[in-house]
Amino acid sequence: MPAWLECDNCGAEHTIPERADEPGGGTVCPSCGEFPYTVRRRGLAWHPDP
């Protein structure tokens, strides 16, 4: 299932980057450098109650 990040600040979409696991680090938008983002996934569907 494809997944990507959408920046909550500027709206830029990008793939989830590889990054070092460092204390205080985090994923930032490559376009504006801000931290808030939303993970989007293609192919999700709601399942009706049986």
Side-chain angles (χ1 to χ4, degrees):
M1 178 180 328
W4 66 94
L5 300 179
E6 182 179 301
C7 179
D8 293 341
N9 186 57
C10 72
E13 293 182 355
H14 54 96
T15 58
I16 299 171
E18 294 293 329
R19 62 177 175 84
D21 187 17
E22 299 175 7
T27 300
V28 297
C29 176
S31 296
C32 69
E34 293 293 323
F35 282 97
Y37 61 87
T38 301
V39 177
R40 303 285 186 199
R41 291 181 181 87
R42 185 171 298 120
L44 291 179
W46 291 103
H47 296 281
D49 291 332

